[in-house]
Amino acid sequence: MVGQHTLTTVGLILFLSLDWTLSVIPEREVHPSFWNNKGKQALHSALSLKPNVHRAKNSILFLGDGMGIPTVTAARILKGQMKGGTGEEFVLAMDTFPYLALSKTYNVDQQMPDSAGTATAYLCGVKARYGTLGLSASAIRKNCSSTFGNEVNSVLHRAKMAGKSVGIVSTARVQHASPAASYCHSADRNWYSDSDMTAADIQAGCRDIAYQLVHNTDINVILGGGRKYMFPKTVKDPEYASSAGVRGDNVDLTAVWLSNKKNAKYVWNKAEFDTVDPEKTDYLMGLFEPGDCRYELERDSKKDPSLTEMVEKAIRILSRNPKGYYLFVEDEGRIDHGHHASKAKHALTEAVEFDNAIERAAEMTSELDTLSVVTADHSHVFSFGGHSARGNRVTGISLLMSNKGDDNKTFTTLLYGNGPGYKLVNGSRPNVAETEAAANGYIQQSAVLLDSETHGSEDVAVFAKGPMAHLFHGVQEQSYIAHAMAYAACVAPYTDCAIPEPEPEAAHAGAIHPSLVVLLLGLIPALRPLIPV
Ligand SMILES: *[C@@H]1O[C@H](CO)[C@@H](O)[C@H](O)[C@H]1NC(C)=O
Ligand SMILES: *[C@@H]1O[C@H](CO)[C@@H](O)[C@H](O)[C@H]1NC(C)=O
Ligand SMILES: *[C@@H]1O[C@H](CO)[C@@H](O)[C@H](O)[C@H]1NC(C)=O
Ligand SMILES: [Zn+2]
């Protein structure tokens, strides 16, 4: 127990005045052998990592809107704590992806990017202006006539042209900027329906995003929110008496979408969604809310499917195509929206559900033929830090100086650089109680008052696994993501790729079991110094 004593001493030096009931060191971690074994296993994984140089039959891009690195870390700890652990040691599904890169997120005209310009980059491979969708930077925001001739196509569109099935799943409205860049060309991300556009722009030939959703690329699976943009103003919403369609052209776009398709279904609630048999369905559109889906924290599981359930259904339908599929999954328009509202718990709970969906997709697919990429469009001015003991509640308060800042006030370890959380009471920052900070709707404090907290400008991570995942390395322009994914799948402009087809599962049946490898590892002289004595 010498190790334990040493660690406790270090702990005391760091956190002289903290409440010890909050600090929990898992017993195994005081033994050097624990870290040495962990290190050896990680080293073995690194040494045996071989690039999969086969073709990606299937590709899935998971986009955590606004999921910067502090969000990933805080979501990891939250998920671990939800499972009863201290949290820091927890491993997210995305953490297990072997290849990583950093993505530079700026728009051509903005240091701090938005979801539209960034979506055009990572979906179409071309960096664009702030607020524009599926258009090169020659197009100008809100300028309809600058649309024509400047269209750029997404990898999703090109995958469809190559005969694959394609789908989009989002917890935001499906006409939201991130999914929209996969199927539309719009000089403004806010042209959700014709009611959001001027008559002159419509006259000039520009079309709203919802219209383009059903008229451009032939998309097999569309799941998320946004049904109000699909129906005329005269049509009441089936779920909320106070809501109705918003279209001025009197067109029911769901009917248009269904009209030329076989084995196609439109659903708007969980019960209908559950009756959809993926084996008999080629096309599924499910729009579960008039606008964005509810936050995971507020979702009624009887009325709306979770992101994980939507991803599962999408993969089942898409994977029936022998040529494979391309799936775009966005959680979280809602991570982003949670951060804008500076409600960190909302944002982080969404990030946890996002990881659940990644986990479920990993169970349903094979790394041999499916390229999975997880990234974010941009970060937020969200910070995670301040003296906190091991296992400190993610939404908890800092333990610095008897729980106080130099202004004698408590503060949370989650904070925003700017946002709605700026507050003065009698000329100074208010105290924060642990229970107040843990409440669902709590708004974290910020240094500068803004109605809506802003995006961040720093790089975001790209996690990849599967065929050609090793192409995701180093520091890259965000537009590179589309190029690497197109190349891996041999779709335009990389149709002449000479990448061999994926290896069948069976080829790996005779592989050595990992535990045997770990056992044999001890025999490698170079690694012996790492073995605890
Ligand atoms: C809009 O775009 C067109 C075509 O690119 C261009 O000629 C025109 O000057 C632009 N208008 C404005 C107000 O920027
Ligand atoms: C904080 O409290 C200490 C001790 O009561 C006092 O000396 C100090 O002036 C206070 N600081 C502020 C900023 O109020
Ligand atoms: C603010 O100051 C007023 C007047 O001194 C006092 O009554 C009130 O309790 C103070 N509020 C807080 C939150 O300290
Ligand atoms: Zn945003």
Side-chain angles (χ1 to χ4, degrees):
M1 288 290 100
V2 169
Q4 178 129 46
H5 178 255
T6 310
L7 232 141
T8 310
T9 309
V10 171
L12 273 171
I13 290 163
L14 278 176
F15 306 116
L16 221 44
S17 54
L18 61 74
D19 176 356
W20 279 103
T21 58
L22 293 175
S23 181
V24 191
I25 302 169
E27 212 280 325
R28 60 185 187 175
E29 292 184 20
V30 305
H31 305 291
S33 59
F34 171 77
W35 296 107
N36 289 332
N37 286 332
K38 211 172 178 54
K40 254 191 296 176
Q41 279 166 23
L43 193 51
H44 169 68
S45 298
L47 289 167
S48 55
L49 187 59
K50 271 203 225 87
N52 176 344
V53 293
H54 292 265
R55 188 183 298 205
K57 178 186 176 197
N58 312 312
S59 314
I60 309 179
L61 177 55
F62 295 94
L63 193 280
D65 196 316
M67 192 182 69
I69 292 173
T71 301
V72 174
T73 308
R76 174 190 303 135
I77 298 177
L78 177 61
K79 192 168 175 179
Q81 292 183 347
M82 286 163 82
K83 289 178 184 291
T86 42
E88 297 83 357
E89 67 292 337
F90 189 74
V91 179
L92 291 169
M94 65 182 101
D95 291 339
T96 65
F97 286 32
Y99 296 99
L100 260 83
L102 286 180
S103 159
K104 295 161 69 179
T105 63
Y106 67 96
N107 297 145
V108 293
D109 57 345
Q110 279 265 135
Q111 193 173 72
M112 184 212 79
D114 90 320
S115 295
T118 55
T120 306
Y122 64 76
L123 292 172
C124 306
V126 175
K127 282 219 173 193
R129 294 191 200 221
Y130 193 86
T132 63
L133 292 168
L135 298 170
S136 75
S138 300
I140 300 158
R141 188 169 188 187
K142 295 186 201 289
N143 181 335
C144 165
S145 60
S146 73
T147 305
F148 311 108
N150 294 322
E151 297 90 344
V152 289
N153 283 320
S154 70
V155 178
L156 177 144
H157 179 83
R158 296 178 234 156
K160 184 72 195 196
M161 293 297 103
K164 293 179 188 288
S165 288
V166 300
I168 58 172
V169 174
S170 175
T171 54
R173 60 201 97 171
V174 296
Q175 305 84 356
H176 177 256
S178 317
S182 60
Y183 61 80
C184 92
H185 312 285
S186 181
D188 191 358
R189 59 178 286 177
N190 293 326
W191 289 348
Y192 293 118
S193 82
D194 60 340
S195 301
D196 299 312
M197 302 175 67
T198 64
D201 286 343
I202 296 170
Q203 192 70 40
C206 284
R207 291 286 170 260
D208 63 274
I209 297 168
Y211 178 97
Q212 296 193 49
L213 172 65
V214 307
H215 285 97
N216 290 6
T217 309
D218 178 41
I219 307 174
N220 299 79
V221 176
I222 301 168
L223 295 172
R227 63 180 174 246
K228 69 180 173 191
Y229 306 114
M230 311 299 281
F231 293 98
K233 286 174 176 163
T234 49
V235 175
K236 287 263 164 254
D237 187 78
E239 190 174 0
Y240 306 101
S242 60
S243 182
V246 296
R247 299 199 67 77
D249 59 8
N250 210 28
V251 173
D252 171 353
L253 289 176
T254 62
V256 171
W257 189 74
L258 289 169
S259 65
N260 59 353
K261 294 182 170 59
K262 273 195 199 143
N263 304 325
K265 268 220 170 76
Y266 166 71
V267 300
W268 64 268
N269 61 49
K270 175 74 159 46
E272 287 178 357
F273 173 81
D274 286 345
T275 64
V276 173
D277 179 356
E279 296 307 315
K280 297 190 176 118
T281 307
D282 293 326
Y283 291 91
L284 175 62
M285 182 188 287
L287 303 178
F288 303 102
E289 289 292 328
D292 296 327
C293 291
R294 287 165 181 273
Y295 285 106
E296 181 57 22
L297 261 179
E298 292 159 4
R299 184 175 63 88
D300 180 342
S301 60
K302 290 192 200 71
K303 288 186 174 159
D304 300 329
S306 67
L307 180 72
T308 305
E309 289 164 335
M310 292 195 284
V311 166
E312 192 172 329
K313 188 85 85 180
I315 291 176
R316 289 205 192 289
I317 294 171
L318 299 175
S319 59
R320 291 171 56 220
N321 185 336
K323 289 188 170 166
Y325 60 86
Y326 176 98
L327 173 62
F328 174 72
V329 179
E330 176 194 37
D331 188 329
E332 340 198 345
R334 309 307 274 157
I335 292 175
D336 185 59
H337 297 169
H339 280 322
H340 281 307
S342 293
K343 294 179 180 174
K345 193 170 176 183
H346 280 72
L348 297 178
T349 319
E350 291 296 316
V352 167
E353 174 57 16
F354 184 49
D355 194 65
N356 292 340
I358 295 166
E359 197 172 337
R360 185 72 193 103
E363 288 162 8
M364 295 176 69
T365 58
S366 164
E367 251 183 274
L368 296 178
D369 65 9
T370 304
L371 171 64
S372 301
V373 178
V374 178
T375 190
D377 46 359
H378 55 73
S379 188
H380 274 267
V381 291
F382 171 63
S383 81
F384 180 35
H387 292 283
S388 47
R390 179 69 184 275
N392 197 43
R393 202 193 298 213
V394 178
T395 55
I397 55 176
S398 170
L399 301 167
L400 181 69
M401 307 292 284
S402 306
N403 299 352
K404 301 271 169 63
D406 290 346
D407 58 1
N408 291 336
K409 302 287 202 290
T410 52
F411 64 101
T412 55
T413 55
L414 301 178
L415 289 168
Y416 291 93
N418 60 48
Y422 175 82
K423 194 155 73 170
L424 294 181
V425 175
N426 284 349
S428 66
R429 195 174 63 79
N431 264 313
V432 189
E434 179 85 22
T435 48
E436 181 190 3
N440 282 354
Y442 178 70
I443 293 174
Q444 273 76 16
Q445 293 180 353
S446 62
V448 173
L449 177 63
L450 284 184
D451 174 47
S452 176
E453 175 264 8
T454 70
H455 296 167
S457 304
E458 79 268 17
D459 298 349
V460 296
V462 188
F463 306 78
K465 72 168 180 180
M468 294 290 161
H470 59 288
L471 298 179
F472 292 94
H473 81 115
V475 180
Q476 303 288 351
E477 291 288 0
Q478 189 165 44
S479 44
Y480 172 72
I481 294 169
H483 287 266
M485 291 191 77
Y487 181 82
C490 289
V491 303
Y494 305 108
T495 44
D496 61 349
C497 81
I499 314 176
E501 295 287 345
E503 278 180 80
E505 282 287 354
H508 285 245
I512 305 169
H513 193 272
S515 62
L516 182 62
V517 179
V518 172
L519 218 122
L520 294 171
L521 200 66
L523 303 173
I524 302 171
L527 295 177
R528 267 187 211 137
L530 292 169
I531 301 168
V533 283

